[in-house]
Amino acid sequence: MVAKKPTKYIFVTGGVISGLGKGITAASIANLLKARGFKVNLQKCDPYLNVDAGTLNPREHGECFVTWDGAETDLDLGHYERFLDDELSQASSLMAGRVLLKVIQDERAGKYEGDDVQIIPHLTAAIQQYIIKAAEGYDVHIVEIGGTVGDYESLSFIESIRELGLRVGLDNCLYVHLVYLPFLSASQETKTKPAQNSVRDLRGLGIKPDVLVARSEKIANDSVIKKLSLFTGVEEDAIVLLPNATSIYQVPLTLEDSGIANVITKHLGLPTKKPNLKQWQEVVKLATTNFDKTVNIAVVAKYMDNTDTYLSVFEALKAAAWWNNTNLKISWVKAEDFDAENADISTDLAKFEGIVVPGGFGVRGLEGKIKAAQYALKQKVPYLGLCLGLQMGVIAAARNAGLSDATTFELNPQSKFLVINTMADQVGKEMTGGTMRLGNYNCHLEKDSLAYKVYGKLDIVERHRHRGECNNDFIDKFKDWGIKASGINPDNHLVEVIEGIDQPFFLASQFHPEFKARPNRAHPMFDGFIKAALNR
Ligand code: GLN
């Protein structure tokens, strides 16, 4: 019998400040290892006491990313999937609340047999269990620890990865620490002291970093590496300078150029292989090219101040644009400015070649979004509706055809004209976590449809996150409203895709295609939309 090779672990922590791009770094390392033929998984450990990201405010925390198996996760999972071009599962997302809940449930179930239940060793053992489980079957498992070293909240995760090193053997583990190098313009100097202190904090918690990734605004002088090495004890060839990039997709190539991937494989005792980065180089080339045409897209949405709120939608639009050799200009149209009955959205939308209405929850901005869809139908402007965008599209079509009372459960649950309504099993669950229609569902497309034309196949699977559905009581009316249901779930007969009849491109889905979009190929729905916008 051939002995099974142990999974290798890479732990990614961060220090000095938050927001350094630990997720992008972890995803980039995964990208480079996959390019070498290794089977790689990624996992995000978040110190929040929430059980999952489904209940977090997307305005502050950014988008809630959904996995194929219906986990509501942190947006870093989206980066992971896009950089790895793989579908991750619930196991890749671990929030502190989930582990705490498990420990407390086990305690109530008598599983601790009279022990005092403590952070160490019980909570840390439970965390390790989740990490080891997620790592099963992979050559390399990369674990990102959310937060900043020194935070009170992330201590139990840091302690867990320290203990895990002892458990699986330090030669099967690599600790990567991200730090920040501030630049003082007065003295024209890159300062390393905060980074040194952060490594000292990490060592104080029992972890000696093997690799340092030093982020900075501008490219720092190479002499910084010597200094960092001297003061932190990390070898010079294991220190990477990572200045801001034009596109996040450049990061894997910058890391590759630094030679760090070989340092990593060597440290972990993995064979040295040449990476196949051809496709990724193409992505970076497209992502950083200034094309001679630009497509202007309006995103009619609620939140104006944080691009992370619609991260996957934006990445999907960007990729579709560059695969069509065009620059993309996204402009926000603040939906709620047009909620009032007499507010007119048409002037604000007149300058765009395409309109997107992304997902959303709650009442604010709904009337504005319906108006945007009504405008798109009347003016035959390409329209892409994503989840809520489908619901608004159906209401818009009904209202344009004269059913002015057409509405949705979110606006008026008592109405007799709920063309969008909740399924019986969703009633009363509005404020609860993990109860929506989540994750993968099948969809069968009509052969003679725009949807089939863009997908090029009849059966598709896409991810969901919503409570509302097209009310099938009104489906016979669709034709009179100038739309049709061109995608249906074959198992529960719910509408998955609608499209405009006699429209150049009015396409909307109850699912979120953005979660399966990738930078290395345009997703059919986004590709079709960008092409239609370019044709306008
Ligand atoms: N709020 C709508 C619903 O719950 C749409 C959700 C979404 O866009 N993700 O059905």
Side-chain angles (χ1 to χ4, degrees):
M1 213 176 81
V2 187
K4 223 174 109 225
K5 286 202 203 89
T7 299
K8 307 290 179 174
Y9 290 86
I10 298 177
F11 301 108
V12 181
T13 54
V16 184
I17 52 171
S18 61
L20 287 179
K22 281 196 304 286
I24 305 280
T25 306
S28 299
I29 295 172
N31 176 301
L32 295 179
L33 293 173
K34 187 184 177 187
R36 286 168 162 75
F38 296 111
K39 198 165 171 232
V40 187
N41 196 16
L42 282 145
Q43 184 177 30
K44 169 95 189 250
C45 293
D46 255 312
Y48 302 113
L49 295 187
N50 303 65
V51 171
D52 61 38
T55 51
L56 294 175
N57 181 343
R59 178 183 217 156
E60 271 135 48
H61 190 79
E63 124 188 311
C64 171
F65 188 82
V66 182
T67 57
W68 66 268
D69 57 350
E72 297 176 279
T73 76
D74 178 80
L75 54 74
D76 273 317
L77 274 272
H79 289 311
Y80 297 172
E81 288 207 3
R82 287 186 285 273
F83 279 68
L84 197 57
D85 191 7
D86 220 338
E87 296 203 59
L88 305 180
S89 72
Q90 160 83 76
S92 285
S93 175
L94 184 61
M95 270 193 190
R98 182 177 298 279
V99 200
L100 280 172
L101 190 63
K102 164 101 173 70
V103 169
I104 291 168
Q105 281 168 344
D106 283 354
E107 186 275 332
R108 290 290 80 185
K111 289 191 185 163
Y112 289 106
E113 295 176 346
D115 264 1
D116 308 323
V117 183
Q118 293 177 296
I119 302 271
I120 305 172
H122 301 102
L123 184 69
T124 52
I127 292 172
Q128 289 171 57
Q129 219 42 56
Y130 278 101
I131 295 177
I132 290 170
K133 186 116 206 355
E136 259 168 33
Y138 291 92
D139 299 325
V140 184
H141 184 52
I142 304 177
V143 184
E144 175 194 349
I145 307 297
T148 307
V149 166
D151 291 352
Y152 192 73
E153 282 131 358
S154 54
L155 279 177
S156 47
F157 282 115
I158 301 278
E159 169 60 14
S160 300
I161 60 169
R162 184 193 71 81
E163 290 176 20
L164 199 61
L166 302 177
R167 186 160 163 180
V168 302
L170 282 177
D171 44 354
N172 291 321
C173 292
L174 178 99
Y175 295 91
V176 178
H177 191 53
L178 244 82
V179 289
Y180 182 64
L181 305 176
F183 179 76
L184 284 191
S185 54
S187 56
Q188 292 288 303
E189 258 185 306
T190 299
K191 307 303 280 184
T192 62
K193 186 75 79 190
Q196 295 172 33
N197 289 344
S198 174
V199 172
R200 196 188 49 210
D201 289 345
L202 189 61
R203 282 175 172 273
L205 298 170
I207 294 175
K208 172 195 164 302
D210 302 301
V211 168
L212 268 192
V213 177
R215 293 276 294 106
S216 59
E217 294 291 314
K218 293 193 210 127
I219 178 89
N221 197 309
D222 267 355
S223 62
V224 162
I225 293 183
K226 271 199 173 11
K227 192 161 176 192
L228 275 174
S229 176
L230 182 68
F231 284 96
T232 62
V234 178
E235 283 175 35
E236 283 181 31
D237 67 351
I239 300 177
V240 191
L241 301 180
L242 196 61
N244 281 355
T246 322
S247 158
I248 53 170
Y249 298 111
Q250 287 173 306
V251 175
L253 299 187
T254 309
L255 292 184
E256 181 61 32
D257 289 345
S258 76
I260 200 68
N262 292 337
V263 173
I264 290 174
T265 48
K266 198 170 144 207
H267 179 102
L268 291 172
L270 293 166
T272 311
K273 298 185 192 178
K274 254 182 103 72
N276 179 359
L277 287 166
K278 244 175 119 162
Q279 200 187 33
W280 203 259
Q281 281 155 349
E282 175 77 5
V283 168
V284 171
K285 195 170 146 229
L286 290 172
T288 54
T289 300
N290 190 9
F291 300 100
D292 48 19
K293 54 185 179 202
T294 299
V295 64
N296 290 292
I297 302 298
V299 174
V300 184
K302 183 153 73 173
Y303 299 114
M304 311 288 290
D305 38 17
N306 183 355
T307 49
D308 279 355
T309 308
Y310 306 103
L311 184 66
S312 292
V313 175
F314 286 6
E315 293 308 310
L317 285 169
K318 280 189 217 165
W322 70 53
W323 283 106
N324 279 289
N325 293 312
T326 181
N327 305 319
L328 172 73
K329 185 164 188 307
I330 296 176
S331 306
W332 255 315
V333 174
K334 192 174 180 181
E336 62 184 287
D337 286 352
F338 304 95
D339 277 348
E341 211 175 323
N342 56 359
D344 179 11
I345 201 168
S346 52
T347 353
D348 287 73
L349 290 180
K351 53 181 180 290
F352 299 105
E353 288 107 46
I355 298 169
V356 179
V357 174
F361 293 85
V363 180
R364 268 194 304 127
L366 288 187
E367 290 292 350
K369 291 172 193 174
I370 295 168
K371 283 181 188 160
Q374 285 182 286
Y375 171 89
L377 284 166
K378 283 186 191 149
Q379 301 302 324
K380 295 190 185 286
V381 183
Y383 176 90
L384 182 67
L386 308 168
C387 201
L388 183 69
L390 171 139
Q391 302 176 353
M392 301 299 100
V394 174
I395 297 169
R399 287 190 186 178
N400 277 1
L403 185 64
S404 55
D405 287 332
T407 190
T408 167
F409 69 102
E410 283 178 300
L411 275 171
N412 179 6
Q414 288 355 310
S415 165
K416 283 204 291 260
F417 304 99
L418 288 175
V419 301
I420 303 297
N421 203 357
T422 40
M423 300 296 291
D425 64 344
Q426 290 288 337
V427 177
K429 292 186 180 165
E430 288 74 10
M431 298 307 284
T432 56
T435 53
M436 279 184 256
R437 184 143 85 99
L438 290 166
N440 273 3
Y441 283 87
N442 298 322
C443 169
H444 184 74
L445 300 177
E446 181 188 313
K447 184 93 200 240
D448 179 25
S449 70
L450 172 66
Y452 175 74
K453 219 159 134 191
V454 300
Y455 272 97
K457 55 182 176 185
L458 285 172
D459 292 292
I460 58 168
V461 180
E462 295 276 7
R463 301 185 200 166
H464 293 247
R465 182 174 187 253
H466 55 99
R467 293 184 200 285
E469 308 284 351
C470 283
N471 182 346
N472 279 342
D473 293 348
F474 289 91
I475 208 153
D476 295 340
K477 299 272 185 318
F478 276 20
K479 216 166 162 198
D480 301 337
W481 300 345
I483 55 172
K484 65 175 176 179
S486 53
I488 303 281
N489 181 318
D491 311 306
N492 58 21
H493 310 291
L494 293 171
V495 172
E496 292 279 359
V497 182
I498 64 126
E499 60 189 69
I501 302 166
D502 295 329
Q503 289 282 338
F505 192 99
F506 189 89
L507 188 64
S509 61
Q510 192 55 77
F511 49 75
H512 288 271
E514 67 269 24
F515 295 142
K516 280 175 79 174
R518 300 286 185 257
N520 46 338
R521 58 182 170 273
H523 183 287
M525 287 204 33
F526 291 88
D527 183 49
F529 172 67
I530 293 291
K531 284 194 164 75
L534 280 170
N535 272 336
R536 198 176 148 74

